[in-house]
Amino acid sequence: MSLVRYEPWGLLNQLHGNIDRMFDTQMGRLRDEDSPLSAADWTPAVDIREEDQRYVIHADVPGVNPDDIEVNMEDGVLTIKGERSTETTDEQAGYKRVERVRGSFYRRFSLPETADADGISAKSRDGVLEVVIPKQAKVLPKRIKVES
């Protein structure tokens, strides 16, 4: 009798992998150059915070040159895209495994109506992109006195 290792999630992981491959194959036929599906090789993690006067987005983009990051605002949608340069790896350099993803990334965020598109600023420091979206000044309702 041989010893068999029990992996309770093995079949589920295998099914998940098969479904991913199926969708990758189907989506590959539908992709075009301008599609966000073809533009994203990886997705940076983000934190979004709302403050009294602004919204702040922090995106983890380690190894990405700030010149390779593009931030756009159009029709209430903020788009962050860029690329992490691909390094050539020499197989004889001793690499056994390469896990750091290279290539382009793409994120889109729908902004609320209170966002001031003209005041958006972005800066990148220590591998973290910070996008600051100021809020528009609220116009408070004004009561108009009716004279008789």
Side-chain angles (χ1 to χ4, degrees):
M1 180 181 198
S2 63
L3 183 63
V4 178
R5 183 177 174 164
Y6 175 67
E7 293 189 34
W9 299 106
L11 288 175
L12 186 60
N13 288 336
Q14 184 179 3
L15 175 65
H16 185 265
N18 289 339
I19 290 172
D20 282 347
R21 278 190 294 284
M22 179 183 72
F23 279 110
D24 285 343
T25 303
Q26 289 179 352
M27 295 303 276
R29 287 188 227 127
L30 300 174
R31 292 180 182 175
D32 62 0
E33 291 301 315
D34 295 328
S35 168
L37 294 174
S38 64
D41 295 323
W42 62 285
T43 305
V46 297
D47 294 334
I48 302 172
R49 183 176 71 238
E50 180 178 3
E51 297 175 354
D52 290 337
Q53 301 297 319
R54 65 185 189 162
Y55 302 97
V56 180
I57 298 174
H58 288 113
D60 288 340
V61 289
V64 178
N65 185 338
D67 295 333
D68 295 333
I69 300 173
E70 191 176 312
V71 180
N72 295 313
M73 170 69 169
E74 183 178 352
D75 296 330
V77 178
L78 181 78
T79 303
I80 301 172
K81 61 182 174 178
E83 187 168 351
R84 186 176 347 197
S85 301
T86 304
E87 295 176 3
T88 57
T89 56
D90 185 5
E91 289 184 22
Q92 297 178 3
Y95 286 103
K96 298 289 185 191
R97 184 177 184 138
V98 177
E99 293 184 346
R100 294 183 300 156
V101 180
R102 302 283 182 212
S104 57
F105 64 88
Y106 187 88
R107 292 295 302 259
R108 297 182 78 183
F109 305 94
S110 295
L111 297 179
E113 292 179 9
T114 58
D116 180 9
D118 295 329
I120 296 175
S121 64
K123 65 180 175 180
S124 181
R125 186 171 151 218
D126 297 331
V128 177
L129 173 67
E130 180 183 70
V131 180
V132 176
I133 306 139
K135 292 182 180 180
Q136 295 176 353
K138 290 184 180 180
V139 178
L140 298 174
K142 181 179 178 182
R143 183 174 175 106
I144 314 260
K145 184 178 179 180
V146 178
E147 296 181 26
S148 56

